[in-house]
Amino acid sequence: MIRLVERDPAVRSVALGTLAGFLAFGFGSGLSRYAPGTMGTLAAVPFAFLLKSLPAVAFWVLLTGLFLLGVRICTTSSSRLGQHDPGGIVWDEMVAYWLTIAFLPVSWPWWLAAFVLFRFFDILKPWPIRWVENRFSGGLGIMLDDIIAALYAMAILWLIAGF
């Protein structure tokens, strides 16, 4: 039988037993044994509709707050697990995806392109993403490398939109 969900009791305890863990693990999406980052990004999509419905100022204030919250919950959760950047922590992917679509219209082709490009850069980790990931510790490091991946994706989308 294929196990699709993380079975480690310590991970499940953090992810489901604390509010910080529940958020850091993307409402449970990060418990996927296969491609938890992709599952976390996918879990971000429904919330993107809510964020994009806000006035621009509210969107940016909330996104900044969600980033800062992410630094805290990712620090707390990774510390509880005793790991630098546990794969199941996906709040960083969620916030980064919301950043990636910030300037895009609410349109499935654009959002799909944002999803694919963000995941591509998050997985490939071209310079300076991997450098940032290794240089910064705790929640800040967990969050920043995905923000840079989002910026790469945004740049490509901007170039596509320009043509």
Side-chain angles (χ1 to χ4, degrees):
M1 182 173 173
I2 298 173
R3 294 183 185 156
L4 298 177
V5 179
E6 177 64 55
R7 294 280 193 195
D8 183 336
V11 172
R12 291 178 66 82
S13 175
V14 169
L16 301 175
T18 65
L19 180 58
F22 187 65
L23 293 174
F25 277 77
F27 312 106
S29 63
L31 289 173
S32 170
R33 289 186 54 155
Y34 303 99
T38 300
M39 294 301 126
T41 307
L42 190 58
V45 174
F47 296 99
F49 286 103
L50 296 172
L51 288 168
K52 290 291 283 187
S53 71
L54 297 172
V57 171
F59 174 91
W60 287 107
V61 168
L62 186 56
L63 191 62
T64 301
L66 293 170
F67 172 83
L68 295 172
L69 174 67
V71 171
R72 182 167 178 88
I73 65 174
C74 292
T75 296
T76 300
S77 298
S78 63
S79 293
R80 285 187 177 143
L81 291 170
Q83 298 177 24
H84 167 68
D85 187 355
I89 291 180
V90 296
W91 187 259
D92 50 334
E93 275 85 5
M94 295 175 78
V95 171
Y97 180 71
W98 298 328
L99 175 62
T100 305
I101 63 154
F103 297 107
L104 296 178
V106 177
S107 161
W108 281 109
W110 282 110
W111 284 22
L112 179 60
F115 186 96
V116 170
L117 285 168
F118 166 66
R119 292 304 304 140
F120 174 79
F121 288 115
D122 188 35
I123 293 166
L124 186 63
K125 298 190 184 309
W127 189 90
I129 297 172
R130 189 168 309 281
W131 180 83
V132 167
E133 181 180 53
N134 294 327
R135 178 90 169 151
F136 293 89
S137 62
L140 183 61
I142 291 171
M143 294 296 295
L144 277 180
D145 72 306
D146 288 76
I147 296 301
I148 297 169
L151 294 174
Y152 272 121
M154 290 172 75
I156 299 296
L157 291 164
W158 179 77
L159 288 172
I160 292 169
F163 293 108

